[in-house]
Amino acid sequence: MLVHGVATTVGLTLVGAVLGVGIGIGGAAARSSANAPLRVAVGAYVELIRNTPFLVQLFFIFFGLPSLGIRLPEWQAALLAMVINLGAYATEIIRAGIDATPKGQIEAGASLGMSGPQIFRYIILGPAMGKIWPALTSQIIIVMLGSSVCSQIAVEELSFAANFIQSRNFRPFEVYFVATALYLALAVGLRWLLARLGDRLFARAARA
């Protein structure tokens, strides 16, 4: 059960991280655009998510949306909550990196005849991601650790497995000691993996 719980936690984290960072990139671009209604809409989403508890967001998706006829299985509801949550935080983290891009580099790209999307992709986004990658890594780990509350809607991740085992053998110290060690190993391993990935993808851009 613990192995299954670890696998579920890892699966939720990996898929949630990819989709959440994708939303963050799109949200950061929207927040930096000249389109005022789009900026306001994305800003409202960011403020809503950053100023409400993740558990409430999870409960709203799993228990609240069925009132509107939208019923999601436990795993999908947990994943959606994690993606929405990470997307909001990633939007602000990535926007900070975008705002730190020297305007001279943007002007140089424009003078070379690059289009707006090309400037964003090659001149702004790469260096920005290099600058904010450690902060983004920390946020992904926070979301991974926060996935433990998904046991409240019966997602069979690591904390669900620990709770189930403890309810059967009545040995909470041993069970939660092992669960704590597993979460620690996951966090350290994920940080190392993301650091290596950042070195491979963004180290040169960050030095630019």
Side-chain angles (χ1 to χ4, degrees):
M1 285 197 67
L2 288 172
V3 171
H4 176 73
V6 168
T8 301
T9 296
V10 170
L12 284 170
T13 301
L14 293 180
V15 178
V18 171
L19 297 179
V21 171
I23 290 176
I25 292 172
R31 291 274 274 169
S32 302
S33 73
N35 188 321
L38 185 60
R39 289 201 312 272
V40 171
V42 175
Y45 153 67
V46 169
E47 291 302 315
L48 173 65
I49 298 302
R50 293 177 70 195
N51 292 287
T52 54
F54 175 68
L55 182 60
V56 173
Q57 298 163 17
L58 178 67
F59 281 177
F60 178 81
I61 291 172
F62 187 69
F63 296 115
L65 290 185
S67 300
L68 303 177
I70 304 173
R71 202 172 293 272
L72 297 175
E74 295 88 349
W75 200 90
Q76 292 182 15
L79 178 60
L80 179 59
M82 292 173 66
V83 169
I84 291 174
N85 186 273
L86 177 58
Y89 284 92
T91 293
E92 287 302 283
I93 292 171
I94 296 171
R95 184 169 74 99
I98 290 174
D99 290 346
T101 302
K103 297 195 181 300
Q105 294 183 11
I106 299 174
E107 294 169 355
S111 69
L112 293 174
M114 298 176 71
S115 66
Q118 287 176 325
I119 291 174
F120 180 78
R121 178 180 177 184
Y122 296 109
I123 295 179
I124 298 177
L125 186 58
M129 292 296 289
K131 291 182 178 72
I132 56 85
W133 190 250
L136 193 58
T137 295
S138 295
Q139 190 59 46
I140 291 172
I141 292 172
I142 289 172
V143 170
M144 185 272 289
L145 296 175
S147 69
S148 60
V149 304
C150 295
S151 62
Q152 298 297 311
I153 61 170
V155 177
E156 297 181 2
E157 42 73 60
L158 179 53
S159 64
F160 178 93
N163 291 334
F164 183 86
I165 294 169
Q166 186 275 144
S167 70
R168 294 299 187 272
N169 64 17
F170 303 105
R171 298 173 66 179
F173 179 83
E174 293 90 337
V175 172
Y176 291 120
F177 180 86
V178 172
T180 300
L182 288 171
Y183 273 117
L184 177 61
L186 286 174
V188 172
L190 182 58
R191 187 179 297 277
W192 179 87
L193 179 64
L194 290 174
R196 300 290 79 74
L197 181 63
D199 289 342
R200 188 176 185 86
L201 295 178
F202 305 120
R204 183 177 300 175
R207 290 193 296 267

